[in-house]
Amino acid sequence: MSRPLKDTDLILRDFQTYLGLERGLSAHTLENYSIDVGHLVSYAENNSTPLNEICEEDLHQLLASLRDMGIQPRSQARLISGIRAFFKFMRIEGYIEADPTALIEFPYLGRSLPDVLSTEEIDNMIAAIDYSKNEALRNETIIETLYGSGLRVSELTDLRISRLYLEEGYMRIEGKGNKQRLVPLSPRATTLIREYMEQRSHQNIKPGNEDILFLNRRGAAMTRVMIFYVVRNLAAAAGIDKTVSPHTLRHSFATHLLEGGANLRAIQEMLGHESIATTEIYVHLDRSRLRSELLAHHPHYRQDHPTEESDS
């Protein structure tokens, strides 16, 4: 028998505590899940349905109303993840006996082909750095570290000097869910980090940021947005006509490893993917790209698939 339901605000606070302490989710994910569960709470209140009495049909109605509002499939999928986490918490706490999200399916998102940069394009981005500016060495080190090790932007902004093992050519990364992994550093990245740290030692560093590797002009940790602008502006300066973000460099890292014959399990470990299924997207991307090249350039493919050639 399920336990009596507490005040909704108290349950939501307990849910936040569960996500932060027990699951170790980032502040960004916590905020998103709060928004997602907020939709559920609004639905429950509007329909005078207690949260512990929400059923599968209610969830289908909620999702249908969000689709009618123009919420895109990717946002719907994230909302389902947040609501699933909430009902898992409700079951753990004994508020419900059966999870109403058990049979809820994620919307089909398709398999999008993210932009991948060639090594020449990445070299062009580095060549576009203006070395008359103080942040030039820092920015080159950022690009090399993102591409050379496939880091998430959040992992880059949180990179600590105390987690660098430059002699061994490794760094200790704290990824999603506070899970740690050792990631190799390229010789070029190692050299650049040493040079940047020497330059950084002459900077006025704000208290509390002494161990943060990448700093802004004011001596504080760089934000995700700052890194985004560094990458985007260098891509524009290099004349790259693609949608480029820090994640593009991560995609490029994984794709180039796969094309070079790297083991998929090794790529999984370096990227910090919990499931090999997440890493396997690069296999599909590689096959899709290979087929596109065949359709575009092989004479027999052009002859047999004239329509597909024009569409590619």
Side-chain angles (χ1 to χ4, degrees), residues 31-260:
E31 182 182 356
N32 284 338
Y33 276 15
S34 294
I35 294 170
D36 299 335
V37 175
H39 288 293
L40 175 69
V41 170
S42 296
Y43 173 88
E45 290 175 348
N46 292 338
N47 290 274
S48 302
T49 305
L51 287 171
N52 60 345
E53 294 181 16
I54 291 286
C55 65
E56 182 183 340
E57 181 58 33
D58 290 316
L59 296 177
H60 281 301
Q61 290 184 21
L62 170 60
L63 292 171
S65 67
L66 293 173
R67 284 194 294 270
D68 292 342
M69 291 166 57
I71 303 296
Q72 296 300 308
R74 194 165 296 279
S75 296
Q76 292 174 35
R78 195 204 70 194
L79 183 137
I80 293 172
S81 293
I83 291 176
R84 275 186 172 174
F86 178 70
F87 279 112
K88 180 180 179 180
F89 159 78
M90 292 276 281
R91 192 172 183 185
I92 290 172
E93 292 296 310
Y95 291 119
I96 59 174
E97 295 180 6
D99 184 352
T101 68
L103 299 178
I104 298 294
E105 295 182 351
F106 284 93
Y108 178 70
L109 302 179
R111 192 179 293 278
S112 59
L113 289 170
D115 283 323
V116 173
L117 298 175
S118 66
T119 53
E120 181 183 7
E121 287 172 323
I122 292 168
D123 289 342
N124 289 342
M125 286 177 63
I126 293 172
I129 294 173
D130 183 355
Y131 260 83
S132 67
K133 296 183 177 179
N134 291 333
E135 64 270 20
L137 177 58
R138 182 203 67 188
N139 291 351
E140 182 177 356
T141 309
I142 285 171
I143 298 299
E144 183 62 45
T145 306
L146 283 172
Y147 170 63
S149 299
L151 299 189
R152 300 178 178 96
V153 65
S154 57
E155 295 169 346
L156 185 88
T157 56
D158 189 50
L159 188 54
R160 309 299 175 99
I161 295 173
S162 59
R163 297 175 188 161
L164 297 175
Y165 307 98
L166 299 181
E167 292 296 329
E168 295 81 4
Y170 280 90
M171 54 186 163
R172 182 160 46 90
I173 298 300
E174 191 166 290
K176 289 185 176 181
N178 296 325
K179 293 181 179 177
Q180 297 190 357
R181 67 188 192 276
L182 287 175
V183 177
L185 277 164
S186 71
R188 177 64 180 155
T190 302
T191 299
L192 286 170
I193 288 173
R194 290 186 193 277
E195 293 175 0
Y196 167 64
M197 285 175 61
E198 167 60 26
Q199 183 187 79
R200 178 187 176 283
S201 67
H202 302 291
Q203 191 173 354
N204 291 323
I205 300 174
K206 286 192 172 183
N209 293 271
E210 293 85 359
D211 197 32
I212 300 291
L213 179 59
F214 292 112
L215 304 176
N216 61 27
R217 297 176 191 175
R218 296 177 298 281
M222 296 184 72
T223 65
R224 295 159 58 100
V225 173
M226 289 176 183
I227 303 294
F228 173 86
Y229 279 118
V230 167
V231 172
R232 190 193 68 172
N233 291 342
L234 285 177
I240 297 172
D241 188 22
K242 294 177 181 177
T243 303
V244 180
S245 71
H247 212 66
T248 311
L249 295 172
R250 180 169 159 88
H251 281 308
S252 303
F253 164 82
T255 302
H256 294 167
L257 277 179
L258 185 66
E259 290 174 348

